[in-house]
């Protein structure tokens, strides 16, 4: 939400997880506010991706596990 600094969250992530050789993709969407200002919504997802080599020798990515959670008040 407007007024929240996403860099603070990124720093906490780095402190918690540490420096990774291949860090996960983190997407931040910034909005001016929520439809109901009394609501708080958090969406979190973790995916495990593996490389698959096709018969033609092409490397493609495949999501093998997804864990997601949504919390709200």
């Amino acid at each position: 939400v407007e007024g929240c600094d996403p860099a603070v969250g990124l720093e906490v992530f780095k402190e918690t997880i540490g420096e990774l050789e291949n860090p996960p993709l983190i997407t931040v969407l910034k909005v001016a506010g929520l439809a109901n200002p009394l609501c708080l919504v958090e969406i979190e997802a973790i995916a495990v991706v593996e490389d698959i080599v096709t018969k033609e020798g092409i490397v493609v990515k495949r999501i093998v596990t997804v864990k997601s959670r949504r919390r709200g008040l």
Side-chain angles (χ1 to χ4, degrees):
V1 176
E2 190 65 42
C4 296
D5 185 2
V8 173
L10 181 59
E11 286 304 312
V12 171
F13 172 82
K14 288 180 178 179
E15 289 171 8
T16 304
I17 302 299
E19 292 293 324
L20 301 173
E21 184 177 326
N22 295 310
L25 174 66
I26 298 173
T27 302
V28 175
L29 301 174
K30 196 168 187 177
V31 297
L34 302 175
N36 181 340
L38 299 176
C39 292
L40 170 67
V41 176
E42 175 184 311
I43 300 172
E44 169 182 329
I46 299 171
V48 176
V49 181
E50 67 181 10
D51 290 338
I52 304 293
V53 180
T54 66
K55 291 184 283 187
E56 296 80 18
I58 300 170
V59 177
V60 295
K61 304 275 185 200
R62 179 176 74 167
I63 298 174
V64 293
T65 305
V66 175
K67 173 186 172 189
S68 64
R69 176 178 64 186
R70 184 184 69 152
R71 296 186 297 190
L73 298 176

